[in-house]
Amino acid sequence: MSVAMPRVMTRGVVFVHSTPKALCPHITWALESVLETRLSIDWTPQPAGAALVRAEFPWSGVQGTGAKLASTLRGWDNLRYEITEEPSPGADGSRWSHTPSLGIHHTWTSASGDAVVNEDRLREVLRLSQGSPEAMAEMLDELLGTDWDDELEPFRYAGDGAPVRWLHKVG
């Protein structure tokens, strides 16, 4: 006897903060393969980098789609991106940030978009820092993705005012 599990739907946003133009069709194809739908992505110049473009678009799909999107783009050279997935029944929200120099960082997010650090991670920081405020600050910065935020911020700022279009996956 099989039991059909209901699919929990959620949504999020893909922010491609910067990429060379030559990667645009490959990024589009990779995202289409995860979302199982055709995409028409509006690539615009990225003022923070010569010869770079940027794009952002909302998505909707089953819970866990954000992780699949992030994994699909992980490790690509010269690609800076963030992917968000909103909280849904039974799952926290998430944000994946990627830079060429740092790789990928994942954090859980609250309904207001704040980073959430669970108690086991905090206990580990306390244990490993051995009372050193400097060590504790460094480990908390790593948990919060401070280096990723610092590297991505000029590219995020350059995207202010960009148009956003909601995409809905059917089925």
Side-chain angles (χ1 to χ4, degrees):
M1 179 169 113
S2 69
V3 176
M5 297 298 292
R7 296 180 346 159
V8 177
M9 301 301 285
T10 188
R11 63 187 183 175
V13 180
V14 173
F15 300 93
V16 177
H17 293 300
S18 72
T19 186
K21 289 180 184 178
L23 284 182
C24 294
H26 303 284
I27 292 168
T28 301
W29 296 328
L31 296 172
E32 286 176 341
S33 72
V34 173
L35 295 171
E36 298 177 354
T37 189
R38 300 277 299 153
L39 299 176
S40 176
I41 299 175
D42 295 324
W43 298 98
T44 60
Q46 172 51 274
L52 296 175
V53 293
R54 63 169 320 282
E56 60 187 68
F57 64 91
W59 58 267
S60 63
V62 296
Q63 193 177 74
T65 298
K68 290 178 183 177
L69 291 165
S71 294
T72 296
L73 299 179
R74 182 180 182 173
W76 289 31
D77 289 338
N78 302 312
L79 175 60
R80 290 175 184 84
Y81 68 87
E82 289 180 284
I83 297 173
T84 64
E85 182 170 310
E86 292 183 4
S88 54
D92 294 324
S94 285
R95 181 177 62 240
W96 295 265
S97 304
H98 179 273
T99 73
S101 64
L102 298 170
I104 198 163
H105 179 268
H106 171 260
T107 190
W108 292 289
T109 57
S110 68
S112 62
D114 295 323
V116 175
V117 179
N118 70 33
E119 63 187 85
D120 289 335
R121 285 179 154 189
L122 289 174
R123 283 192 182 100
E124 186 72 359
V125 165
L126 291 171
R127 185 183 72 75
L128 292 173
S129 66
Q130 300 177 347
S132 166
E134 295 83 13
M136 184 179 298
E138 186 177 314
M139 287 183 235
L140 289 174
D141 279 346
E142 184 177 342
L143 284 176
L144 295 172
T146 301
D147 289 343
W148 284 262
D149 285 338
D150 290 346
E151 187 171 328
L152 290 171
E153 193 59 28
F155 296 93
R156 291 174 181 148
Y157 179 75
D160 282 353
V164 175
R165 183 178 70 236
W166 281 101
L167 300 175
H168 299 280
K169 181 178 172 186
V170 178

